[in-house]
Amino acid sequence: MARPIARRASTRRIQLLVVLVLGLFTLLLLRAAYLGTVRSSWLSAKADSQHLIRVNEPAERGAMMSTDGLFLAMDTPTVQIIADGRYVKNALRTTDRLVAVLGGSPKRREKLLSDLSARKAYVVVAPNASLRDARVLKRMKIDGIVYRRNSKRTYPLGAVAGQVLGFTNLETRAGVEGLEARLNTRLTGRDGGFTEVQDMRLGQTVRILNERKSVAGQSVELTIHADIQKQVEEVLAATRTKYKAKSAMAIIMDPNNGRIVAMASVPRMNANNRATLDVTASQVRAITDPYEPGSVFKVVTVAGALEEGLTTPSTMYTVPAKFPFEFEGRTRYITDAHKRESAEDMTTTDILQRSSNVGTILISQRLQKRDKLRYWMDRFGFGQKTGIDLNNESDGDLPKTPWDDGRRYNIPFGQGLTATMLQQTRAYAAIANGGLLVTPHVVAAIDGRASAVPSPKRIISTRTAAQLTGIMRTVVEASTGTGGLAQIANYQVAGKTGTSQKVINKRYSDKHFQASFIGFVPAKNPKLVIAVMIDDPSPNGGPHTAAEVAAPAFQTIGDYALGRLGIAP
């Protein structure tokens, strides 16, 4: 009896086991059906999300071109190379292969190896690799490496117009200095993007989702002539080196419309070389750094007196060897740079031609009697911005009246006030163009549309402008003029020298100077006004006056620009 009972118990256990197996199998089938139908879309999305990479596609930043058709700033295509350490099979071998193509310091190699060995999911191997390097690496078919399109800002002519152009932030790509900052919203464009579904094991993109096209920034045409700009920078650099000067700057402007042909300062700045970028050299010093103009300012004093009818080119003055005045309880004296032992009779023309400080004071006294001295300085734009389309322009410093005796007598010949080189250049342009104060500008057009420029404002009569031009021609042409070395073969030049003493420890120095020459050419029908300033030439003695160091630089720059632009004598 025992065996049948045991046999029946065993049969029941087998039957129960079969029922349990069938039940589990049925549940698995139902689960599979559920996942394959009801939850299939959710699971698919979940699987995709594990490999989704949202990619921002930066818009191409607008290019900046010179008026002679050369690219000054542009975006260059690059490739961003990214590694996913989870799918890198051999960290050491992968690191060696990447570094062999892309290069990098030992420290950079060590960091890359560490990141890949730690199996980090997102490692930027190279933010801006060249297209060539990316092609080489792609042929190697390295596991876990992904390639994305990118771009970087480059300046094809290097340092040419570096300060005017400025530069961008390497990470945000936003403008930081110069026109890159000023026109940032116009240059930036609108970013695009898409979502990549990737198989990291294969290093391949499976499909693209939610694609949005980028929109390029606007292109900008400048008034800057790249070839002339380059020549100006080279002349300034050579002059600075020759005279061991601290710095130098220059401007070339069309006096008839305010278009800046060149605007330069040295030391130069090359935004392509970020590792050695000197931010102290990034400013457009011709608009940011005011200084005492010295004798180039005398033409403003004389212009006011001519316009007021208080003097003429031939009016005679008895000019003493030194001019006494009381200041801070002491009798002080102003003399001419070219010392004289006794009084001399000089005309207004002689006073400017020989750059007499004392003679300029005598002319200014006539204006001061009418309370018109500062009025004319203000009318020529001093103490106020020119309105140029660049950031960080300085107003300069034209002191408010009443002036003490020190200022009443030294401001007329260019001491006791400060002005930017651009303010001075614009003042000379008003004489060159027949009496109109123009608005300087460096942007000619944006996306083919000409930039709006304020209309010129008349500040002196054509007659006064012509009289001043005649006087300034003698500065260059006459044997007693201070600007003889500014002469340009076959052209008539009108201009003025200025050698100002630098203020060191609150006192005017007898060893440190700023040498300037500003002039326009051709004198009868001016097409260019050119300003040059050499800061602290020959600080240990030697040539340092405007006649010696600034006038020759003017001549070299002017001769090249006239020929390059095809301007007839």
Side-chain angles (χ1 to χ4, degrees):
M1 293 295 292
R3 286 185 177 177
I5 293 173
R7 193 180 295 118
R8 285 196 298 270
S10 177
T11 301
R12 283 197 298 271
R13 283 195 296 270
I14 292 172
Q15 290 172 342
L16 180 60
L17 182 59
V18 170
V19 170
L20 287 173
V21 170
L22 289 174
L24 289 172
F25 186 70
T26 302
L27 286 174
L28 289 173
L29 287 175
L30 291 173
R31 177 66 175 172
Y34 173 73
L35 294 176
T37 55
V38 180
R39 299 281 282 176
S40 62
S41 59
W42 180 84
L43 288 172
S44 177
K46 191 174 192 303
D48 280 351
S49 69
Q50 293 172 354
H51 301 285
L52 292 184
I53 298 180
R54 289 171 177 81
V55 178
N56 181 57
E57 191 174 53
E60 182 178 341
R61 194 169 174 84
M64 289 190 274
M65 298 184 67
S66 66
T67 190
D68 51 330
L70 299 180
F71 281 100
L72 297 174
M74 62 186 295
D75 274 10
T76 301
T78 60
V79 177
Q80 185 182 48
I81 301 176
I82 298 168
D84 189 331
R86 297 172 300 177
Y87 301 102
V88 171
K89 293 179 179 179
N90 186 317
L92 178 59
R93 184 165 182 265
T94 298
T95 299
D96 287 341
R97 296 173 79 182
L98 291 171
V99 171
V101 175
L102 300 172
S105 65
K107 184 177 180 181
R108 172 62 185 148
R109 180 188 179 281
E110 182 181 345
K111 178 68 166 58
L112 179 59
L113 177 59
S114 174
D115 288 344
L116 296 183
S117 299
R119 301 181 65 80
K120 288 188 177 181
Y122 188 86
V123 179
V124 178
V125 177
N128 287 295
S130 69
L131 301 184
R132 175 190 171 279
D133 287 348
R135 284 195 297 269
V136 171
L137 288 172
K138 281 183 178 181
R139 285 196 292 267
M140 295 182 181
K141 297 181 179 179
I142 306 173
D143 293 325
I145 303 298
V146 177
Y147 305 88
R148 296 178 186 162
R149 190 180 74 176
N150 203 1
S151 64
K152 69 176 181 179
R153 197 64 164 171
T154 58
Y155 303 88
L157 300 185
V160 174
Q163 292 99 341
V164 174
L165 298 171
F167 56 90
T168 58
N169 184 292
L170 290 176
E171 294 182 2
T172 67
R173 304 179 78 245
V176 176
E177 292 284 1
L179 286 173
E180 293 280 25
R182 175 82 177 197
L183 302 177
N184 187 59
T185 56
R186 309 295 291 272
L187 293 167
T188 297
R190 188 174 69 247
D191 289 351
F194 53 88
T195 301
E196 286 184 355
V197 183
Q198 291 188 343
D199 185 331
M200 295 304 294
R201 290 182 177 85
L202 299 176
Q204 295 178 352
T205 299
V206 178
R207 61 182 181 275
I208 299 294
L209 304 175
N210 306 319
E211 187 172 10
R212 184 180 71 256
K213 296 290 186 183
S214 62
V215 178
Q218 296 174 307
S219 60
V220 177
E221 181 190 339
L222 304 184
T223 62
I224 299 292
H225 191 291
D227 186 45
I228 295 174
Q229 174 80 25
K230 180 174 182 290
Q231 176 69 8
V232 170
E233 292 176 11
E234 290 175 353
V235 171
L236 290 179
T239 302
R240 177 183 179 232
T241 299
K242 181 177 181 179
Y243 297 108
K244 298 179 175 59
K246 180 179 179 181
S247 62
M249 57 179 135
I251 295 175
I252 303 179
M253 186 171 81
D254 185 331
N256 301 297
N257 51 37
R259 289 171 63 97
I260 301 295
V261 178
M263 181 183 288
S265 65
V266 294
R268 303 163 82 189
M269 181 199 76
N270 187 344
N272 289 328
N273 301 329
R274 294 303 180 90
T276 58
L277 183 66
D278 182 2
V279 294
T280 62
S282 67
Q283 297 297 309
V284 184
R285 296 188 59 233
I287 70 170
T288 63
D289 293 14
Y291 57 93
E292 292 193 357
S295 294
V296 295
F297 191 75
K298 291 172 181 173
V299 298
V300 177
T301 301
V302 174
L306 289 170
E307 188 72 8
E308 292 285 342
L310 300 175
T311 194
T312 69
S314 59
T315 299
M316 189 68 70
Y317 296 83
T318 299
V319 183
K322 55 186 179 180
F323 181 86
F325 68 99
E326 297 295 321
F327 185 67
E328 294 181 343
R330 291 173 53 193
T331 299
R332 301 172 186 265
Y333 297 93
I334 293 173
T335 62
D336 290 346
H338 306 283
K339 296 293 191 296
R340 292 178 289 109
E341 297 299 325
S342 59
E344 287 187 35
D345 290 335
M346 297 185 193
T347 64
T348 301
T349 297
D350 295 331
I351 287 169
L352 268 189
Q353 179 192 116
R354 297 168 60 182
S355 200
S356 170
N357 297 335
V358 178
T360 304
I361 291 172
L362 299 183
I363 295 173
S364 74
Q365 287 180 316
R366 300 188 177 192
L367 280 170
Q368 290 187 60
K369 287 180 181 179
R370 291 191 182 181
D371 196 24
K372 284 294 187 72
L373 182 56
R374 191 187 187 283
Y375 167 83
W376 280 104
M377 296 172 183
D378 176 81
R379 194 162 174 79
F380 268 87
F382 292 95
Q384 56 196 278
K385 293 179 175 63
T386 67
I388 190 171
D389 43 2
L390 285 167
N391 291 339
N392 304 320
E393 183 180 13
S394 171
D395 295 53
D397 180 25
L398 178 60
K400 295 186 180 299
T401 51
W403 294 339
D404 57 31
D405 281 355
R407 284 178 168 168
R408 283 198 300 128
Y409 298 132
N410 70 359
I411 285 179
F413 61 83
Q415 287 186 343
L417 80 157
T418 63
T420 65
M421 172 173 274
L422 186 60
Q423 288 173 323
Q424 298 170 57
T425 304
R426 182 170 72 148
Y428 273 66
I431 299 168
N433 66 29
L436 301 174
L437 197 66
V438 298
T439 300
H441 57 284
V442 295
V443 179
I446 299 179
D447 259 8
R449 295 185 179 182
S451 299
V453 180
S455 299
K457 180 180 70 174
R458 179 162 295 283
I459 58 170
I460 56 174
S461 65
T462 55
R463 181 173 181 269
T464 294
Q467 289 177 326
L468 277 168
T469 298
I471 294 173
M472 292 163 66
R473 280 184 57 188
T474 71
V475 172
V476 178
E477 297 172 0
S479 60
T480 54
T482 58
L485 293 180
Q487 294 181 29
I488 300 174
N490 303 317
Y491 290 87
Q492 293 178 339
V493 177
K496 181 72 184 74
T497 55
T499 306
S500 60
Q501 296 169 285
K502 296 187 69 172
V503 176
I504 308 293
N505 297 324
K506 299 182 179 181
R507 298 178 65 88
Y508 285 107
S509 172
D510 292 328
K511 297 181 179 179
H512 301 278
F513 305 89
Q514 287 168 315
S516 304
F517 188 90
I518 308 178
F520 46 87
V521 61
K524 286 188 176 180
N525 184 22
K527 294 290 191 276
L528 300 175
V529 56
I530 303 170
V532 177
M533 192 276 278
I534 313 301
D535 184 13
D536 209 5
S538 303
N540 297 317
H544 64 273
T545 67
E548 295 170 304
V549 303
F554 169 95
Q555 187 276 333
T556 304
I557 290 170
D559 186 57
Y560 185 86
L562 290 165
R564 186 65 179 80
L565 296 173
I567 297 173

